Amino acid sequence: MKYSVTYLPKDEYILIKVTGRINFQAAEQYSKDAIKLAQENLCNKFLIDHTETTLKEGVYRLHTSGEELQEFGFTDKDRIAIIIANTKKKSDIPDASNQNSRFCVVKYFTEKDLSEALNWLQTNEN
């Protein structure tokens, strides 16, 4: 698994690009790297690109549950757009509707909806 973490100052968000197979420790590491970079740039918006992440058929183990993200260091002030590969079934997109007010705001998008994800990141509503 490989990842990169980049601050995009023009749009004021952190881009995390993940490729290959992912595990909890790797997700924790790139999350901590992203949070550190965000703090350095007074930023609380993140786009996690999982379009090249290797997933088992029908199983999403992206380590993006509210509990996991909180454990990694994300707070209720953070907004996270998660991009997954295009899918044929709407049911393949994880549901972030069961959010706790202590958790960051997370929303999933497919790669064809990247511009919608970027627009959502720039809004201030939860």
Side-chain angles (χ1 to χ4, degrees):
M1 196 234 28
K2 295 180 185 177
Y3 70 87
S4 62
V5 177
T6 310
Y7 174 63
L8 300 169
K10 179 181 176 223
D11 298 312
E12 297 181 325
Y13 70 89
I14 303 294
L15 172 63
I16 304 162
K17 177 88 173 139
V18 183
T19 55
R21 296 190 92 160
I22 188 171
N23 61 39
F24 183 87
Q25 291 78 19
E28 180 178 37
Q29 186 59 54
Y30 72 64
S31 295
K32 289 184 176 185
D33 290 350
I35 291 166
K36 180 180 177 191
L37 185 58
Q39 290 171 343
E40 291 170 2
N41 291 284
L42 302 174
C43 174
N44 68 339
K45 297 175 184 170
F46 302 83
L47 186 138
I48 304 176
D49 183 345
H50 278 296
T51 58
E52 295 180 22
T53 300
T54 305
L55 301 171
K56 291 183 180 179
E57 187 75 27
V59 177
Y60 286 90
R61 296 194 180 270
L62 298 175
H63 305 288
T64 56
S65 72
E67 289 93 0
E68 289 170 313
L69 293 171
Q70 184 180 41
E71 186 175 334
F72 298 157
F74 291 100
T75 71
D76 61 343
K77 306 286 187 250
D78 297 324
R79 287 176 74 79
I80 303 173
I82 299 173
I83 307 295
I84 59 171
N86 289 333
T87 180
K88 293 183 171 119
K89 297 184 290 183
K90 182 90 168 152
S91 62
D92 285 343
I93 300 174
D95 182 18
S97 62
N98 189 13
Q99 291 288 316
N100 183 311
S101 63
R102 297 176 299 138
F103 298 155
C104 55
V105 179
V106 177
K107 189 165 181 181
Y108 294 87
F109 300 87
T110 61
E111 62 187 316
K112 69 180 179 188
D113 298 322
L114 178 60
S115 62
E116 182 183 337
L118 294 172
N119 287 337
W120 177 82
L121 269 181
Q122 299 310 317
T123 63
N124 291 324
E125 60 189 58
N126 292 336

